Amino acid sequence: MTGQRNTRLEALLSEFGYTHEQLADAVNRAAEELFGGPVNCTDRQVRRWIAGEVQWPWARYLLPLQKVLGRSPQEMGFIPRKTSRVPAPPDRSASAVQQHPIGRREFIAASLVATLGLDFIPSGGRLGVSDVERIRAIVPSLYKYDHSLGGGALHDVASEALRHVQSSVNHCTYGDRVERMLYSAMGDLAASAGWFAYDAGRQVDATNLYNEALQAGMLSGDGMLQARVWSNLAMQARLLDRDREALRIGRAAVETRQAKSDAWLMALLHCRQAVGHARTGDRTRAQRSLARAETAYERTRGQPAAWLSFLTPAELTGLAGAAHQALGQYRRAEQLTASALQMLEPRFERNRVYYTVQYAQALLDEGDIEHAAAQAGEAITLAGRVQSERVQSKLGDLQGNLRHHMRVPAVADFLEQTRQKGA
């Protein structure tokens, strides 16, 4: 018999950013500390508590719940029976977050998962177009945070969402048309999870996810998805210092029918090819690719796909700066990167750190060491919220390059400040 819904417990889950599954896991971890072993709490039990089917859980659940949420049973919305033994109230001198500190990444992940609507995607029965639309909505929701937080905060969230969708696809029924739509949506999510993994420095995970996205793109016949994955694979190859391979992959993406019909994608591909040509010392091809990127961008209309929403004039200018820097044209790189930073919208926090580092490096390469140190300090300050191993690695390289100039007082001060901060 279902009782009255436990809205207090439901509100606490929302307050602490727990999904049903995550609360169950937290209860099991707390039980191990209390009893020396797990109590096999599941998300199903959490749902029963919230639905009011269980008005007073067993003590083996109540005690860990108190430890996790920092509330008495009644404050959690449970109703004692006459024979119920009320456990001792928790120590209110420490909050639940203090007792079980949740890292920033885990807290963000917990909060995000709760907003993605995964519980509304069926795990059985028949899937329809409305279910595909729910899956499609996951990626734009994630990218709202990617620009500010970086992939380190989102990789686990996207991977969990992908597993949920894959389970639905494997256990539900649907028609041929919906099947193609499902694989396209699932591939979009896999490609996004791959990008977050790439940004987080988890390249093995990124490769596996890109492969899943490519397979989904072929099964759905989604050429745009395939071109997107090829573009990301080219970026990954470049990150791993496989520049020739990156150029070959990028060229394959440029030549696809989908890229030729989508000006947004074509502009991005040509920008990335420009950086690739510059890194191999081919100035002529780099300049040609930059010109083609500008031409393509002039043809863009409407709004880009969610994953392309970072492609603004600031981004194109910043990538042009990266190309000139790779060619050794440091003065031009400095000018372009400074311009990119001026144009960059506040929501692009990660890219602001990225281009601030690029700006500092261009200044350093040009010999303006004091100004470079000042910009490096600005990048350290801005980097506090961003969880991007890619950006942190770039920042680490800059710090290493500045160490060659430790006799310059501004550099010495910068390095001492970063040492004290543990940056």
Side-chain angles (χ1 to χ4, degrees):
M1 179 72 68
T2 301
Q4 185 175 356
R5 189 172 184 81
N6 189 337
T7 55
R8 287 189 181 181
L9 181 60
E10 194 170 30
L12 285 170
L13 262 71
S14 177
E15 176 183 341
F16 288 104
Y18 281 121
T19 64
H20 298 159
E21 186 175 280
Q22 288 166 341
L23 179 61
D25 290 342
V27 166
N28 285 326
R29 288 194 299 270
E32 287 187 3
E33 296 180 15
L34 290 168
F35 310 132
V39 292
N40 299 319
C41 183
T42 66
D43 57 334
R44 180 176 179 273
Q45 286 166 314
V46 175
R47 284 194 292 272
R48 291 185 68 206
W49 297 337
I50 291 174
E53 295 178 18
V54 177
Q55 295 187 335
W56 187 265
W58 294 103
R60 65 175 181 267
Y61 297 132
L62 273 178
L63 288 171
L65 271 170
Q66 286 186 108
K67 188 173 179 65
V68 170
L69 297 177
R71 301 291 192 276
S72 70
Q74 288 90 337
E75 289 173 321
M76 290 186 281
F78 294 120
I79 303 172
R81 298 180 293 271
K82 290 182 179 180
T83 57
S84 297
R85 181 179 65 85
V86 181
D91 180 4
R92 301 309 294 270
S93 63
S95 70
V97 175
Q98 290 171 325
Q99 292 173 357
H100 280 281
I102 302 174
R104 177 173 175 78
R105 180 181 305 178
E106 289 73 19
F107 181 78
I108 292 168
S111 301
L112 276 178
V113 168
T115 68
L116 293 180
L118 298 181
D119 289 345
F120 295 100
I121 299 173
S123 57
R126 190 169 181 83
L127 296 177
V129 173
S130 61
D131 298 306
V132 176
E133 291 173 350
R134 290 190 186 97
I135 296 169
R136 281 283 186 203
I138 294 173
V139 169
S141 296
L142 292 170
Y143 272 99
K144 289 178 182 177
Y145 297 90
D146 175 57
H147 301 314
S148 58
L149 300 174
L154 299 172
H155 167 254
D156 290 335
V157 181
S159 296
E160 180 178 339
L162 179 61
R163 286 191 295 270
H164 187 102
V165 172
Q166 288 172 329
S167 177
S168 294
V169 170
N170 288 325
H171 292 94
C172 294
T173 60
Y174 34 80
D176 291 344
R177 174 171 169 267
V178 170
E179 180 181 57
R180 287 191 296 273
M181 295 171 66
L182 279 169
Y183 274 102
S184 176
M186 188 165 62
D188 189 29
L189 181 54
S192 300
W195 163 258
F196 301 142
Y198 160 82
D199 194 45
R202 300 166 69 165
Q203 301 310 323
V204 173
D205 289 341
T207 300
N208 291 336
L209 287 161
Y210 287 152
N211 287 336
E212 287 188 40
L214 271 179
Q215 179 177 315
M218 289 185 287
L219 289 172
S220 63
D222 188 337
M224 181 63 73
L225 171 59
Q226 294 175 58
R228 171 192 177 186
V229 177
W230 285 121
S231 173
N232 286 351
L233 283 169
M235 276 197 72
Q236 186 184 41
R238 187 170 298 121
L239 180 74
L240 300 174
D241 294 323
R242 301 199 298 261
D243 291 311
R244 297 291 180 184
E245 177 185 335
L247 281 169
R248 287 194 296 271
I249 296 173
R251 186 166 59 248
V254 166
E255 292 172 354
T256 61
R257 177 175 57 83
Q258 286 72 26
K260 292 176 181 178
S261 64
D262 188 294
W264 290 100
L265 178 58
M266 186 61 85
L268 175 63
L269 292 174
H270 279 309
C271 270
R272 289 178 174 175
Q273 285 295 87
V275 176
H277 287 308
R279 284 170 59 104
T280 60
D282 194 332
R283 180 175 302 183
T284 300
R285 284 198 171 103
Q287 291 174 337
R288 187 183 303 153
S289 291
L290 287 175
R292 287 173 174 170
E294 290 182 13
T295 300
Y297 195 78
E298 289 172 357
R299 293 190 290 107
T300 58
R301 296 291 183 272
Q303 295 297 316
W307 72 275
L308 277 168
S309 58
F310 70 96
L311 192 61
T312 64
E315 181 69 14
L316 266 67
T317 305
L319 287 172
H324 283 279
Q325 188 165 358
L327 288 169
Q329 299 171 339
Y330 303 129
R331 178 61 176 165
R332 185 57 178 152
E334 175 206 327
Q335 293 171 341
L336 287 167
T337 308
S339 180
L341 285 168
Q342 289 176 349
M343 291 188 289
L344 201 61
E345 298 171 40
R347 62 191 174 106
F348 295 111
E349 292 183 47
R350 177 189 52 208
N351 285 5
R352 182 165 297 281
V353 180
Y354 187 92
Y355 286 123
T356 301
V357 174
Q358 181 172 298
Y359 182 43
Q361 186 62 59
L363 288 165
L364 184 62
D365 291 337
E366 199 184 0
D368 191 347
I369 299 171
E370 291 190 356
H371 194 185
Q375 288 301 308
E378 177 71 11
I380 290 287
T381 301
L382 292 170
R385 272 175 50 88
V386 176
Q387 298 181 33
S388 167
E389 179 60 31
R390 181 171 56 101
V391 171
Q392 292 297 333
S393 177
K394 192 174 179 72
L395 184 53
D397 291 342
L398 173 62
Q399 290 175 278
N401 293 334
L402 279 168
R403 288 192 181 95
H404 297 301
H405 305 276
M406 291 183 65
R407 292 183 179 179
V408 178
V411 174
D413 290 344
F414 163 74
L415 293 174
E416 177 60 22
Q417 289 170 5
T418 56
R419 187 191 66 79
Q420 292 176 356
K421 293 179 181 178

